[in-house]
Amino acid sequence: MLRIFPVLIVYLILNIMVGIRIQKSLLIEKTNCKIIFWIIFLVIAFSFVIAEIFPKILPFSATKIIYNIGCIYLGLFVYMILLFTISFFLTLIFKNGKLDYYSISIVLSIILVICGFYFENTTKIKNYDVQMETKLENTSSMKVALISDIHIGYTFGQSHLNKMITEINDLNPDIIVIAGDLIDSDLDIALHETDLSVLSNLKSKYGTFFALGNHDCYTQQIERLSNILRENN
């Protein structure tokens, strides 16, 4: 906890800066309204932190809601930090301009996050032709299906996993490679949200292979995860 304390202080300062700009753009002037705004804003801003630090204290359903609110806000936060910085310089350059660049930045941030949700739930398959100097035995070509950063957890659940398996099988691959970050960071949450045994439904000629990613290591249950995957081929 002590190690992340400086990070939380910096995060708090940045959020105060963002909150002040949002408050001004929303024209919140009354004292009571300001107090309500800041309470709601800071709770939302730190919802991801709350879900990460106190996952065992709160009910699972509540933690899931708080976590997802936090993820949405973090997306907005990153975009607003970038766009507010640009807005600051635009305001300096065009001092007498009528445009409120900060309000435009807030709207753009919301649009970008909405686009992110769309792409998160829309699979795009990219095809690559890879030439190899070493010839493969008994075949002139091989179709490899590679997928990574699945992050099974609060945001990626059973329906997403089932859909992914169907889409991979439709490609009729010779071999399947999962290149890390199958689990978001907590194996118990992943097992609560999904039945990992459905991974045995992946179909290919030569099987499915998995490499650990940093988020899989964050679970601190690498051996348990590896055993589950081996049990399901």
Side-chain angles (χ1 to χ4, degrees):
M1 185 68 182
L2 290 175
R3 288 183 296 178
I4 66 169
F5 186 73
V7 177
L8 292 176
I9 293 298
V10 173
Y11 181 67
L12 174 62
I13 293 169
L14 290 173
N15 273 289
I16 290 173
M17 294 168 64
V18 168
I20 290 171
R21 289 312 327 175
I22 294 174
Q23 178 195 314
K24 289 182 178 180
S25 294
L26 295 176
L27 302 176
I28 299 173
E29 300 296 339
K30 293 181 179 180
T31 303
N32 290 341
C33 293
K34 284 183 180 180
I35 293 171
I36 294 170
F37 166 80
W38 279 105
I39 291 172
I40 295 172
F41 175 77
L42 290 174
V43 168
I44 292 174
F46 280 85
S47 54
F48 182 85
V49 177
I50 293 167
E52 283 290 313
I53 295 177
F54 307 109
K56 308 299 182 184
I57 297 175
L58 299 170
F60 182 87
S61 56
T63 306
K64 182 176 180 177
I65 292 170
I66 294 170
Y67 181 91
N68 281 285
I69 290 172
C71 287
I72 294 169
Y73 174 76
L74 284 178
L76 289 169
F77 173 73
V78 171
Y79 288 128
M80 284 189 290
I81 287 290
L82 294 171
L83 293 173
F84 282 179
T85 303
I86 296 171
S87 298
F88 173 77
F89 288 107
L90 288 175
T91 303
L92 285 179
I93 295 168
F94 305 104
K95 291 182 179 179
N96 297 321
K98 295 181 179 180
L99 289 176
D100 181 355
Y101 297 107
Y102 292 101
S103 294
I104 294 171
S105 296
I106 294 170
V107 173
L108 281 176
S109 298
I110 294 170
I111 291 171
L112 287 168
V113 168
I114 291 171
C115 289
F117 269 103
Y118 170 76
F119 288 116
E120 179 192 11
N121 294 286
T122 305
T123 303
K124 185 175 182 181
I125 297 168
K126 291 187 177 182
N127 295 306
Y128 299 92
D129 290 324
V130 181
Q131 301 298 323
M132 296 179 63
E133 293 182 3
T134 305
K135 291 184 178 180
L136 300 171
E137 293 185 11
N138 304 322
T139 182
S140 59
S141 64
M142 178 181 286
K143 183 187 289 185
V144 180
L146 183 145
I147 186 166
S148 71
D149 297 275
I150 301 164
H151 291 278
I152 298 173
Y154 286 123
T155 58
F156 191 101
Q158 192 70 54
S159 60
H160 288 87
L161 186 59
N162 292 339
K163 180 184 176 185
M164 183 197 77
I165 291 170
T166 300
E167 290 173 335
I168 291 174
N169 288 342
D170 287 344
L171 296 173
N172 193 28
D174 293 305
I175 188 170
I176 300 169
V177 179
I178 302 174
D181 288 357
L182 173 67
I183 308 300
D184 188 38
S185 60
D186 191 312
L187 183 56
D188 291 324
I189 291 170
L191 294 173
H192 187 282
E193 289 293 285
T194 60
D195 176 10
L196 290 182
S197 67
V198 298
L199 289 169
S200 63
N201 295 330
L202 287 166
K203 305 297 181 186
S204 62
K205 188 174 181 179
Y206 298 107
T208 302
F209 296 83
F210 171 71
L212 289 163
N214 60 315
H215 279 261
D216 301 306
C217 295
Y218 293 161
T219 66
Q220 298 182 351
Q221 297 191 61
I222 295 172
E223 186 175 350
R224 183 185 177 198
L225 172 60
S226 299
N227 288 336
I228 291 171
L229 297 178
R230 288 191 186 99
E231 289 169 3
N232 292 286
N233 302 316

PDB file of all heavy atoms in Angstrom, residues 147-151 178-186 209-222 225-226 229:
ATOM      1  N   ILE A 147      -4.419 -15.014 -30.841  1.00  0.00           N
ATOM      2  CA  ILE A 147      -5.223 -14.038 -30.120  1.00  0.00           C
ATOM      3  C   ILE A 147      -4.524 -13.724 -28.796  1.00  0.00           C
ATOM      4  O   ILE A 147      -3.864 -14.591 -28.209  1.00  0.00           O
ATOM      5  CB  ILE A 147      -6.660 -14.557 -29.870  1.00  0.00           C
ATOM      6  CG1 ILE A 147      -7.526 -13.448 -29.253  1.00  0.00           C
ATOM      7  CG2 ILE A 147      -6.652 -15.813 -29.014  1.00  0.00           C
ATOM      8  CD1 ILE A 147      -9.010 -13.765 -29.301  1.00  0.00           C
ATOM      9  N   SER A 148      -4.625 -12.474 -28.352  1.00  0.00           N
ATOM     10  CA  SER A 148      -3.988 -12.103 -27.088  1.00  0.00           C
ATOM     11  C   SER A 148      -4.830 -11.063 -26.360  1.00  0.00           C
ATOM     12  O   SER A 148      -5.803 -10.528 -26.912  1.00  0.00           O
ATOM     13  CB  SER A 148      -2.584 -11.547 -27.341  1.00  0.00           C
ATOM     14  OG  SER A 148      -2.658 -10.267 -27.941  1.00  0.00           O
ATOM     15  N   ASP A 149      -4.444 -10.778 -25.112  1.00  0.00           N
ATOM     16  CA  ASP A 149      -5.090  -9.727 -24.314  1.00  0.00           C
ATOM     17  C   ASP A 149      -6.604  -9.906 -24.206  1.00  0.00           C
ATOM     18  O   ASP A 149      -7.378  -8.984 -24.468  1.00  0.00           O
ATOM     19  CB  ASP A 149      -4.758  -8.348 -24.889  1.00  0.00           C
ATOM     20  CG  ASP A 149      -3.268  -8.059 -24.830  1.00  0.00           C
ATOM     21  OD1 ASP A 149      -2.812  -7.596 -23.770  1.00  0.00           O
ATOM     22  OD2 ASP A 149      -2.564  -8.318 -25.814  1.00  0.00           O
ATOM     23  N   ILE A 150      -7.009 -11.105 -23.827  1.00  0.00           N
ATOM     24  CA  ILE A 150      -8.437 -11.398 -23.663  1.00  0.00           C
ATOM     25  C   ILE A 150      -8.950 -10.793 -22.353  1.00  0.00           C
ATOM     26  O   ILE A 150     -10.056 -10.267 -22.289  1.00  0.00           O
ATOM     27  CB  ILE A 150      -8.664 -12.931 -23.691  1.00  0.00           C
ATOM     28  CG1 ILE A 150      -8.165 -13.493 -25.035  1.00  0.00           C
ATOM     29  CG2 ILE A 150     -10.144 -13.263 -23.511  1.00  0.00           C
ATOM     30  CD1 ILE A 150      -7.978 -14.997 -25.036  1.00  0.00           C
ATOM     31  N   HIS A 151      -8.141 -10.860 -21.307  1.00  0.00           N
ATOM     32  CA  HIS A 151      -8.440 -10.229 -20.015  1.00  0.00           C
ATOM     33  C   HIS A 151      -9.789 -10.664 -19.433  1.00  0.00           C
ATOM     34  O   HIS A 151     -10.680  -9.850 -19.190  1.00  0.00           O
ATOM     35  CB  HIS A 151      -8.407  -8.705 -20.142  1.00  0.00           C
ATOM     36  CG  HIS A 151      -7.029  -8.158 -20.374  1.00  0.00           C
ATOM     37  ND1 HIS A 151      -6.140  -7.942 -19.353  1.00  0.00           N
ATOM     38  CD2 HIS A 151      -6.383  -7.809 -21.514  1.00  0.00           C
ATOM     39  CE1 HIS A 151      -5.002  -7.469 -19.849  1.00  0.00           C
ATOM     40  NE2 HIS A 151      -5.117  -7.389 -21.160  1.00  0.00           N
ATOM     41  N   ILE A 178      -2.621 -18.585 -27.944  1.00  0.00           N
ATOM     42  CA  ILE A 178      -3.082 -17.510 -27.055  1.00  0.00           C
ATOM     43  C   ILE A 178      -1.827 -16.862 -26.477  1.00  0.00           C
ATOM     44  O   ILE A 178      -1.127 -17.447 -25.654  1.00  0.00           O
ATOM     45  CB  ILE A 178      -3.990 -18.045 -25.934  1.00  0.00           C
ATOM     46  CG1 ILE A 178      -5.206 -18.769 -26.529  1.00  0.00           C
ATOM     47  CG2 ILE A 178      -4.452 -16.896 -25.031  1.00  0.00           C
ATOM     48  CD1 ILE A 178      -6.082 -19.464 -25.498  1.00  0.00           C
ATOM     49  N   ALA A 179      -1.545 -15.640 -26.908  1.00  0.00           N
ATOM     50  CA  ALA A 179      -0.238 -15.023 -26.638  1.00  0.00           C
ATOM     51  C   ALA A 179      -0.268 -14.095 -25.423  1.00  0.00           C
ATOM     52  O   ALA A 179       0.165 -12.945 -25.493  1.00  0.00           O
ATOM     53  CB  ALA A 179       0.246 -14.276 -27.877  1.00  0.00           C
ATOM     54  N   GLY A 180      -0.792 -14.576 -24.309  1.00  0.00           N
ATOM     55  CA  GLY A 180      -0.699 -13.815 -23.063  1.00  0.00           C
ATOM     56  C   GLY A 180      -1.924 -13.022 -22.687  1.00  0.00           C
ATOM     57  O   GLY A 180      -2.760 -12.671 -23.514  1.00  0.00           O
ATOM     58  N   ASP A 181      -2.021 -12.742 -21.380  1.00  0.00           N
ATOM     59  CA  ASP A 181      -3.106 -11.964 -20.780  1.00  0.00           C
ATOM     60  C   ASP A 181      -4.482 -12.575 -21.046  1.00  0.00           C
ATOM     61  O   ASP A 181      -5.425 -11.882 -21.434  1.00  0.00           O
ATOM     62  CB  ASP A 181      -3.061 -10.505 -21.262  1.00  0.00           C
ATOM     63  CG  ASP A 181      -1.892  -9.742 -20.662  1.00  0.00           C
ATOM     64  OD1 ASP A 181      -1.167 -10.323 -19.842  1.00  0.00           O
ATOM     65  OD2 ASP A 181      -1.705  -8.565 -21.011  1.00  0.00           O
ATOM     66  N   LEU A 182      -4.577 -13.866 -20.819  1.00  0.00           N
ATOM     67  CA  LEU A 182      -5.880 -14.535 -20.860  1.00  0.00           C
ATOM     68  C   LEU A 182      -6.734 -14.050 -19.694  1.00  0.00           C
ATOM     69  O   LEU A 182      -7.921 -13.784 -19.842  1.00  0.00           O
ATOM     70  CB  LEU A 182      -5.687 -16.053 -20.779  1.00  0.00           C
ATOM     71  CG  LEU A 182      -6.951 -16.903 -20.653  1.00  0.00           C
ATOM     72  CD1 LEU A 182      -7.778 -16.814 -21.924  1.00  0.00           C
ATOM     73  CD2 LEU A 182      -6.597 -18.358 -20.357  1.00  0.00           C
ATOM     74  N   ILE A 183      -6.116 -13.904 -18.508  1.00  0.00           N
ATOM     75  CA  ILE A 183      -6.799 -13.453 -17.304  1.00  0.00           C
ATOM     76  C   ILE A 183      -6.470 -11.982 -17.065  1.00  0.00           C
ATOM     77  O   ILE A 183      -5.340 -11.551 -17.303  1.00  0.00           O
ATOM     78  CB  ILE A 183      -6.355 -14.290 -16.079  1.00  0.00           C
ATOM     79  CG1 ILE A 183      -6.484 -15.793 -16.365  1.00  0.00           C
ATOM     80  CG2 ILE A 183      -7.149 -13.895 -14.842  1.00  0.00           C
ATOM     81  CD1 ILE A 183      -7.886 -16.247 -16.707  1.00  0.00           C
ATOM     82  N   ASP A 184      -7.448 -11.237 -16.560  1.00  0.00           N
ATOM     83  CA  ASP A 184      -7.220  -9.807 -16.349  1.00  0.00           C
ATOM     84  C   ASP A 184      -6.206  -9.571 -15.232  1.00  0.00           C
ATOM     85  O   ASP A 184      -5.203  -8.896 -15.440  1.00  0.00           O
ATOM     86  CB  ASP A 184      -8.542  -9.095 -16.039  1.00  0.00           C
ATOM     87  CG  ASP A 184      -8.388  -7.602 -16.002  1.00  0.00           C
ATOM     88  OD1 ASP A 184      -7.621  -7.070 -16.823  1.00  0.00           O
ATOM     89  OD2 ASP A 184      -9.023  -6.952 -15.161  1.00  0.00           O
ATOM     90  N   SER A 185      -6.452 -10.101 -14.041  1.00  0.00           N
ATOM     91  CA  SER A 185      -5.472  -9.974 -12.954  1.00  0.00           C
ATOM     92  C   SER A 185      -5.838 -10.849 -11.761  1.00  0.00           C
ATOM     93  O   SER A 185      -5.001 -11.076 -10.899  1.00  0.00           O
ATOM     94  CB  SER A 185      -5.339  -8.514 -12.485  1.00  0.00           C
ATOM     95  OG  SER A 185      -6.566  -8.024 -12.011  1.00  0.00           O
ATOM     96  N   ASP A 186      -7.078 -11.334 -11.728  1.00  0.00           N
ATOM     97  CA  ASP A 186      -7.549 -12.124 -10.583  1.00  0.00           C
ATOM     98  C   ASP A 186      -8.200 -13.409 -11.098  1.00  0.00           C
ATOM     99  O   ASP A 186      -9.253 -13.360 -11.731  1.00  0.00           O
ATOM    100  CB  ASP A 186      -8.544 -11.307  -9.757  1.00  0.00           C
ATOM    101  CG  ASP A 186      -8.875 -11.952  -8.415  1.00  0.00           C
ATOM    102  OD1 ASP A 186      -9.164 -13.170  -8.401  1.00  0.00           O
ATOM    103  OD2 ASP A 186      -8.867 -11.247  -7.396  1.00  0.00           O
ATOM    104  N   PHE A 209      -2.017 -23.546 -27.914  1.00  0.00           N
ATOM    105  CA  PHE A 209      -0.840 -23.277 -27.103  1.00  0.00           C
ATOM    106  C   PHE A 209      -0.979 -21.911 -26.431  1.00  0.00           C
ATOM    107  O   PHE A 209      -1.523 -20.975 -27.013  1.00  0.00           O
ATOM    108  CB  PHE A 209       0.425 -23.334 -27.964  1.00  0.00           C
ATOM    109  CG  PHE A 209       0.681 -24.699 -28.534  1.00  0.00           C
ATOM    110  CD1 PHE A 209       0.042 -25.117 -29.694  1.00  0.00           C
ATOM    111  CD2 PHE A 209       1.533 -25.584 -27.880  1.00  0.00           C
ATOM    112  CE1 PHE A 209       0.249 -26.394 -30.210  1.00  0.00           C
ATOM    113  CE2 PHE A 209       1.747 -26.862 -28.386  1.00  0.00           C
ATOM    114  CZ  PHE A 209       1.103 -27.269 -29.555  1.00  0.00           C
ATOM    115  N   PHE A 210      -0.458 -21.833 -25.214  1.00  0.00           N
ATOM    116  CA  PHE A 210      -0.643 -20.628 -24.405  1.00  0.00           C
ATOM    117  C   PHE A 210       0.679 -20.145 -23.830  1.00  0.00           C
ATOM    118  O   PHE A 210       1.486 -20.935 -23.353  1.00  0.00           O
ATOM    119  CB  PHE A 210      -1.628 -20.933 -23.265  1.00  0.00           C
ATOM    120  CG  PHE A 210      -1.750 -19.839 -22.239  1.00  0.00           C
ATOM    121  CD1 PHE A 210      -2.383 -18.645 -22.544  1.00  0.00           C
ATOM    122  CD2 PHE A 210      -1.226 -20.006 -20.967  1.00  0.00           C
ATOM    123  CE1 PHE A 210      -2.501 -17.633 -21.592  1.00  0.00           C
ATOM    124  CE2 PHE A 210      -1.331 -19.010 -20.012  1.00  0.00           C
ATOM    125  CZ  PHE A 210      -1.970 -17.823 -20.326  1.00  0.00           C
ATOM    126  N   ALA A 211       0.893 -18.825 -23.878  1.00  0.00           N
ATOM    127  CA  ALA A 211       2.060 -18.209 -23.241  1.00  0.00           C
ATOM    128  C   ALA A 211       1.572 -17.223 -22.188  1.00  0.00           C
ATOM    129  O   ALA A 211       0.630 -16.473 -22.427  1.00  0.00           O
ATOM    130  CB  ALA A 211       2.917 -17.488 -24.280  1.00  0.00           C
ATOM    131  N   LEU A 212       2.190 -17.246 -21.026  1.00  0.00           N
ATOM    132  CA  LEU A 212       1.799 -16.339 -19.956  1.00  0.00           C
ATOM    133  C   LEU A 212       2.096 -14.883 -20.312  1.00  0.00           C
ATOM    134  O   LEU A 212       3.113 -14.572 -20.924  1.00  0.00           O
ATOM    135  CB  LEU A 212       2.561 -16.681 -18.667  1.00  0.00           C
ATOM    136  CG  LEU A 212       2.155 -17.978 -17.952  1.00  0.00           C
ATOM    137  CD1 LEU A 212       3.240 -18.380 -16.970  1.00  0.00           C
ATOM    138  CD2 LEU A 212       0.816 -17.805 -17.252  1.00  0.00           C
ATOM    139  N   GLY A 213       1.173 -13.990 -19.926  1.00  0.00           N
ATOM    140  CA  GLY A 213       1.396 -12.553 -20.067  1.00  0.00           C
ATOM    141  C   GLY A 213       1.557 -11.930 -18.693  1.00  0.00           C
ATOM    142  O   GLY A 213       1.388 -12.604 -17.667  1.00  0.00           O
ATOM    143  N   ASN A 214       1.862 -10.653 -18.644  1.00  0.00           N
ATOM    144  CA  ASN A 214       2.073 -10.007 -17.345  1.00  0.00           C
ATOM    145  C   ASN A 214       0.823 -10.048 -16.464  1.00  0.00           C
ATOM    146  O   ASN A 214       0.904 -10.239 -15.252  1.00  0.00           O
ATOM    147  CB  ASN A 214       2.565  -8.562 -17.526  1.00  0.00           C
ATOM    148  CG  ASN A 214       1.587  -7.710 -18.304  1.00  0.00           C
ATOM    149  OD1 ASN A 214       1.059  -8.124 -19.327  1.00  0.00           O
ATOM    150  ND2 ASN A 214       1.342  -6.500 -17.837  1.00  0.00           N
ATOM    151  N   HIS A 215      -0.365  -9.908 -17.068  1.00  0.00           N
ATOM    152  CA  HIS A 215      -1.592  -9.931 -16.280  1.00  0.00           C
ATOM    153  C   HIS A 215      -1.886 -11.326 -15.739  1.00  0.00           C
ATOM    154  O   HIS A 215      -2.466 -11.458 -14.656  1.00  0.00           O
ATOM    155  CB  HIS A 215      -2.771  -9.417 -17.108  1.00  0.00           C
ATOM    156  CG  HIS A 215      -2.845  -7.929 -17.166  1.00  0.00           C
ATOM    157  ND1 HIS A 215      -3.689  -7.181 -16.375  1.00  0.00           N
ATOM    158  CD2 HIS A 215      -2.146  -7.031 -17.911  1.00  0.00           C
ATOM    159  CE1 HIS A 215      -3.525  -5.898 -16.626  1.00  0.00           C
ATOM    160  NE2 HIS A 215      -2.592  -5.780 -17.557  1.00  0.00           N
ATOM    161  N   ASP A 216      -1.504 -12.353 -16.477  1.00  0.00           N
ATOM    162  CA  ASP A 216      -1.653 -13.717 -15.960  1.00  0.00           C
ATOM    163  C   ASP A 216      -0.771 -13.905 -14.729  1.00  0.00           C
ATOM    164  O   ASP A 216      -1.154 -14.587 -13.776  1.00  0.00           O
ATOM    165  CB  ASP A 216      -1.255 -14.739 -17.036  1.00  0.00           C
ATOM    166  CG  ASP A 216      -2.102 -14.613 -18.286  1.00  0.00           C
ATOM    167  OD1 ASP A 216      -3.338 -14.652 -18.159  1.00  0.00           O
ATOM    168  OD2 ASP A 216      -1.533 -14.473 -19.385  1.00  0.00           O
ATOM    169  N   CYS A 217       0.402 -13.264 -14.741  1.00  0.00           N
ATOM    170  CA  CYS A 217       1.318 -13.350 -13.594  1.00  0.00           C
ATOM    171  C   CYS A 217       0.791 -12.557 -12.408  1.00  0.00           C
ATOM    172  O   CYS A 217       1.070 -12.898 -11.248  1.00  0.00           O
ATOM    173  CB  CYS A 217       2.705 -12.855 -13.987  1.00  0.00           C
ATOM    174  SG  CYS A 217       3.516 -13.890 -15.233  1.00  0.00           S
ATOM    175  N   TYR A 218       0.021 -11.479 -12.685  1.00  0.00           N
ATOM    176  CA  TYR A 218      -0.542 -10.678 -11.594  1.00  0.00           C
ATOM    177  C   TYR A 218      -1.474 -11.506 -10.712  1.00  0.00           C
ATOM    178  O   TYR A 218      -1.703 -11.160  -9.549  1.00  0.00           O
ATOM    179  CB  TYR A 218      -1.335  -9.490 -12.143  1.00  0.00           C
ATOM    180  CG  TYR A 218      -0.512  -8.433 -12.852  1.00  0.00           C
ATOM    181  CD1 TYR A 218      -1.112  -7.529 -13.726  1.00  0.00           C
ATOM    182  CD2 TYR A 218       0.865  -8.343 -12.662  1.00  0.00           C
ATOM    183  CE1 TYR A 218      -0.368  -6.567 -14.381  1.00  0.00           C
ATOM    184  CE2 TYR A 218       1.614  -7.384 -13.323  1.00  0.00           C
ATOM    185  CZ  TYR A 218       1.000  -6.496 -14.183  1.00  0.00           C
ATOM    186  OH  TYR A 218       1.729  -5.552 -14.841  1.00  0.00           O
ATOM    187  N   THR A 219      -2.034 -12.583 -11.263  1.00  0.00           N
ATOM    188  CA  THR A 219      -2.935 -13.425 -10.489  1.00  0.00           C
ATOM    189  C   THR A 219      -2.213 -14.087  -9.318  1.00  0.00           C
ATOM    190  O   THR A 219      -2.846 -14.477  -8.337  1.00  0.00           O
ATOM    191  CB  THR A 219      -3.550 -14.536 -11.350  1.00  0.00           C
ATOM    192  OG1 THR A 219      -2.507 -15.441 -11.777  1.00  0.00           O
ATOM    193  CG2 THR A 219      -4.252 -13.962 -12.576  1.00  0.00           C
ATOM    194  N   GLN A 220      -0.883 -14.240  -9.449  1.00  0.00           N
ATOM    195  CA  GLN A 220      -0.063 -14.953  -8.457  1.00  0.00           C
ATOM    196  C   GLN A 220      -0.545 -16.390  -8.268  1.00  0.00           C
ATOM    197  O   GLN A 220      -0.329 -16.994  -7.206  1.00  0.00           O
ATOM    198  CB  GLN A 220      -0.049 -14.186  -7.125  1.00  0.00           C
ATOM    199  CG  GLN A 220       0.556 -12.799  -7.242  1.00  0.00           C
ATOM    200  CD  GLN A 220       0.615 -12.070  -5.917  1.00  0.00           C
ATOM    201  OE1 GLN A 220       0.060 -12.506  -4.913  1.00  0.00           O
ATOM    202  NE2 GLN A 220       1.281 -10.927  -5.893  1.00  0.00           N
ATOM    203  N   GLN A 221      -1.207 -16.907  -9.310  1.00  0.00           N
ATOM    204  CA  GLN A 221      -1.681 -18.296  -9.281  1.00  0.00           C
ATOM    205  C   GLN A 221      -1.357 -18.960 -10.618  1.00  0.00           C
ATOM    206  O   GLN A 221      -2.219 -19.598 -11.233  1.00  0.00           O
ATOM    207  CB  GLN A 221      -3.193 -18.350  -9.017  1.00  0.00           C
ATOM    208  CG  GLN A 221      -3.599 -17.786  -7.664  1.00  0.00           C
ATOM    209  CD  GLN A 221      -5.045 -18.097  -7.345  1.00  0.00           C
ATOM    210  OE1 GLN A 221      -5.453 -19.252  -7.241  1.00  0.00           O
ATOM    211  NE2 GLN A 221      -5.853 -17.054  -7.193  1.00  0.00           N
ATOM    212  N   ILE A 222      -0.107 -18.802 -11.034  1.00  0.00           N
ATOM    213  CA  ILE A 222       0.307 -19.301 -12.350  1.00  0.00           C
ATOM    214  C   ILE A 222       0.166 -20.824 -12.441  1.00  0.00           C
ATOM    215  O   ILE A 222      -0.315 -21.347 -13.451  1.00  0.00           O
ATOM    216  CB  ILE A 222       1.764 -18.881 -12.641  1.00  0.00           C
ATOM    217  CG1 ILE A 222       1.857 -17.359 -12.756  1.00  0.00           C
ATOM    218  CG2 ILE A 222       2.272 -19.538 -13.918  1.00  0.00           C
ATOM    219  CD1 ILE A 222       3.270 -16.829 -12.855  1.00  0.00           C
ATOM    220  N   LEU A 225      -3.517 -21.753 -12.730  1.00  0.00           N
ATOM    221  CA  LEU A 225      -4.016 -21.422 -14.069  1.00  0.00           C
ATOM    222  C   LEU A 225      -3.486 -22.417 -15.093  1.00  0.00           C
ATOM    223  O   LEU A 225      -4.242 -22.900 -15.951  1.00  0.00           O
ATOM    224  CB  LEU A 225      -3.592 -20.001 -14.437  1.00  0.00           C
ATOM    225  CG  LEU A 225      -3.876 -19.549 -15.887  1.00  0.00           C
ATOM    226  CD1 LEU A 225      -5.371 -19.601 -16.188  1.00  0.00           C
ATOM    227  CD2 LEU A 225      -3.329 -18.142 -16.132  1.00  0.00           C
ATOM    228  N   SER A 226      -2.203 -22.723 -15.015  1.00  0.00           N
ATOM    229  CA  SER A 226      -1.590 -23.663 -15.964  1.00  0.00           C
ATOM    230  C   SER A 226      -2.250 -25.036 -15.871  1.00  0.00           C
ATOM    231  O   SER A 226      -2.501 -25.686 -16.895  1.00  0.00           O
ATOM    232  CB  SER A 226      -0.087 -23.783 -15.689  1.00  0.00           C
ATOM    233  OG  SER A 226       0.552 -22.533 -15.848  1.00  0.00           O
ATOM    234  N   LEU A 229      -5.652 -24.996 -17.584  1.00  0.00           N
ATOM    235  CA  LEU A 229      -5.518 -24.995 -19.036  1.00  0.00           C
ATOM    236  C   LEU A 229      -5.087 -26.362 -19.566  1.00  0.00           C
ATOM    237  O   LEU A 229      -5.577 -26.816 -20.600  1.00  0.00           O
ATOM    238  CB  LEU A 229      -4.530 -23.905 -19.479  1.00  0.00           C
ATOM    239  CG  LEU A 229      -4.965 -22.472 -19.153  1.00  0.00           C
ATOM    240  CD1 LEU A 229      -3.902 -21.470 -19.590  1.00  0.00           C
ATOM    241  CD2 LEU A 229      -6.293 -22.139 -19.807  1.00  0.00           C
TER     242      LEU A 229
END
